[in-house]
């Protein structure tokens, strides 16, 4: 089974790593050649060292082809680096050698144990791009969790097929930052989304969410004989279980909203009772 290479950027150059038996390793050849040394010579020297821990493993290179490559654990890599005289490598390669010596351990450990490593010399634009990509990863993770939960709910008859299909299309679209290509009546809606469309926000939103949520849920149970489905949605920075409906049941929202309007001034401050 081949092992996929993960490239980690350093302040100067980069380093290619793989995970072997649960332990991060450095792919030896590209690291050697990056500082202008002869790979065959360095590999032969490594074979002669009793402290060297080397593994020949099949790896997937950037061209998509699988090749046998020598990989060494981080301790071996650092021991080998200690034998390299920075004054004997090309001047252009010295920044990479120094980055290897100073940053390898922290960068490789962070990548494989903390989910990522950040180049200390990254620009503001690069950091912004990284944040956007991480946000995309988080959206994908949450979408997969919700899709998995919907599959379980369908298996036990808690939701019908049309609902699952609508939710799946919606989640997959949101995961990709796009609008779902589904029947408008099947687009999902929550109490927060309904309230936001009607201009309720700020401090009023929390109170309105509770009152509207209870009303819509009660009407939903009367219509279908079961509780509304719930998914994870961010509320005040925390992902919570939120009741979710489709626009096929928008009349339930309108009915509950009209009932709330009998007791509260929904045109001004939500919490101000009508006289």
């Amino acid at each position: 089974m081949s092992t996929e290479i993960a490239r980690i950027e350093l302040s100067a150059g980069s380093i290619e790593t793989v995970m072997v038996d649960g332990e991060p390793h450095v792919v030896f050849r590209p690291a050697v050649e990056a500082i202008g040394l002869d790979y065959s010579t360095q590999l032969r020297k490594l074979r002669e060292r009793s402290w060297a821990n080397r593994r020949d493993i099949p790896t997937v290179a950037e061209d998509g082809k699988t090749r046998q490559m020598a990989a060494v654990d981080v301790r071996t890599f650092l021991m080998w680096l200690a034998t390299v005289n920075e004054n004997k490598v090309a001047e252009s390669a010295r920044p990479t050698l120094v980055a290897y010596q100073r940053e390898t351990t922290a960068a490789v450990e962070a990548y494989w144990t903390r989910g990522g490593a950040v180049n200390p010399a990254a620009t503001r634009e690069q950091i912004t791009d990284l944040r956007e990509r991480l946000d995309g990863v988080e959206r994908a993770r949450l979408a997969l969790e919700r899709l998995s939960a919907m599959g379980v709910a369908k298996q036990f008859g808690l939701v019908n097929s049309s609902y699952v299909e609508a939710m799946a299309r919606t989640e997959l679209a949101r995961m990709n930052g796009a609008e779902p290509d589904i029947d408008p009546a099947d687009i999902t809606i929550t109490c927060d989304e309904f309230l936001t469309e009607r201009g309720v926000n700020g401090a009023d939103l929390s109170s309105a969410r509770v009152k509207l949520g209870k009303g819509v849920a009660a009407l939903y149970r009367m219509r279908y004989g079961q509780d509304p489905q719930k998914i994870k949605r961010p509320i005040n920075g925390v992902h919570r279980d939120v009741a979710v409906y489709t626009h096929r049941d928008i009349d339930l929202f309108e009915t509950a909203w009209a009932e709330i309007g009998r007791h509260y001034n929904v045109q001004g401050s939500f919490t101000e009772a009508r006289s």
Side-chain angles (χ1 to χ4, degrees):
M1 183 178 294
S2 61
T3 304
E4 188 172 355
I5 294 173
R7 181 188 296 274
I8 301 174
E9 299 296 329
L10 303 177
S11 61
S14 61
I15 190 168
E16 296 184 1
T17 68
V18 293
M19 185 66 81
V20 181
D21 296 334
E23 184 177 0
H25 282 57
V26 175
V27 182
F28 195 53
R29 182 165 193 155
V32 171
E33 294 179 343
I35 55 178
L37 299 180
D38 179 69
Y39 171 67
S40 298
T41 300
Q42 297 303 316
L43 183 61
R44 183 176 65 253
K45 290 181 178 180
L46 202 63
R47 288 170 175 164
E48 297 171 353
R49 300 295 189 267
S50 60
W51 43 259
N53 181 9
R54 178 182 57 83
R55 296 282 296 273
D56 291 324
I57 58 174
T59 56
V60 180
E62 289 186 345
D63 59 7
K65 295 181 179 180
T66 300
R67 297 184 177 88
Q68 288 287 334
M69 292 188 178
V72 297
D73 60 21
V74 177
R75 177 179 176 276
T76 298
F77 186 65
L78 293 176
M79 290 282 285
W80 168 77
L81 282 174
T83 70
V84 179
N85 187 338
E86 65 181 76
N87 295 316
K88 292 186 177 181
V89 301
E91 185 175 351
S92 60
R94 287 177 190 170
T96 299
L97 173 61
V98 172
Y100 280 177
Q101 292 170 331
R102 293 179 177 175
E103 302 170 24
T104 294
T105 299
V108 174
E109 180 183 16
Y111 183 91
W112 290 107
T113 64
R114 302 178 188 174
V118 178
N119 185 338
T123 64
R124 180 176 297 179
E125 290 74 16
Q126 289 172 323
I127 294 297
T128 299
D129 178 67
L130 177 60
R131 286 173 177 160
E132 291 176 352
R133 284 187 284 148
L134 289 175
D135 287 343
V137 171
E138 179 65 7
R139 287 197 305 271
R141 184 185 68 80
L142 292 174
L144 289 175
E145 288 181 357
R146 290 193 286 261
L147 290 172
S148 177
M150 282 186 284
V152 173
K154 180 182 178 183
Q155 179 182 356
F156 287 93
L158 300 178
V159 294
N160 57 44
S161 297
S162 61
Y163 179 85
V164 172
E165 180 180 354
M167 285 295 294
R169 288 179 179 272
T170 300
E171 294 300 338
L172 289 173
R174 284 175 174 163
M175 183 172 64
N176 293 308
E179 290 298 321
D181 182 20
I182 60 176
D183 186 328
D186 286 328
I187 295 177
T188 59
I189 185 171
T190 65
C191 288
D192 273 23
E193 291 166 346
F194 180 89
L195 292 167
T196 300
E197 289 176 358
R198 279 153 182 76
V200 180
N201 50 47
D204 291 338
L205 183 59
S206 179
S207 177
R209 178 193 300 127
V210 174
K211 294 177 173 62
L212 181 66
K214 289 181 178 179
V216 176
L219 293 170
Y220 186 93
R221 284 190 289 269
M222 290 177 59
R223 174 173 290 179
Y224 297 105
Q226 63 183 32
D227 290 332
Q229 285 75 43
K230 292 187 176 182
I231 61 173
K232 294 287 186 182
R233 285 287 175 84
I235 297 179
N236 298 327
V238 178
H239 281 86
R240 304 182 186 279
D241 288 329
V242 175
V244 64
Y245 308 83
T246 71
H247 279 73
R248 293 186 185 279
D249 294 317
I250 197 66
D251 61 308
L252 303 183
F253 283 84
E254 299 291 356
T255 300
W257 183 244
E259 179 63 22
I260 291 175
R262 294 175 54 194
H263 307 283
Y264 295 89
N265 176 13
V266 298
Q267 304 299 323
S269 173
F270 180 80
T271 55
E272 178 185 350
R274 283 183 168 183
S275 58

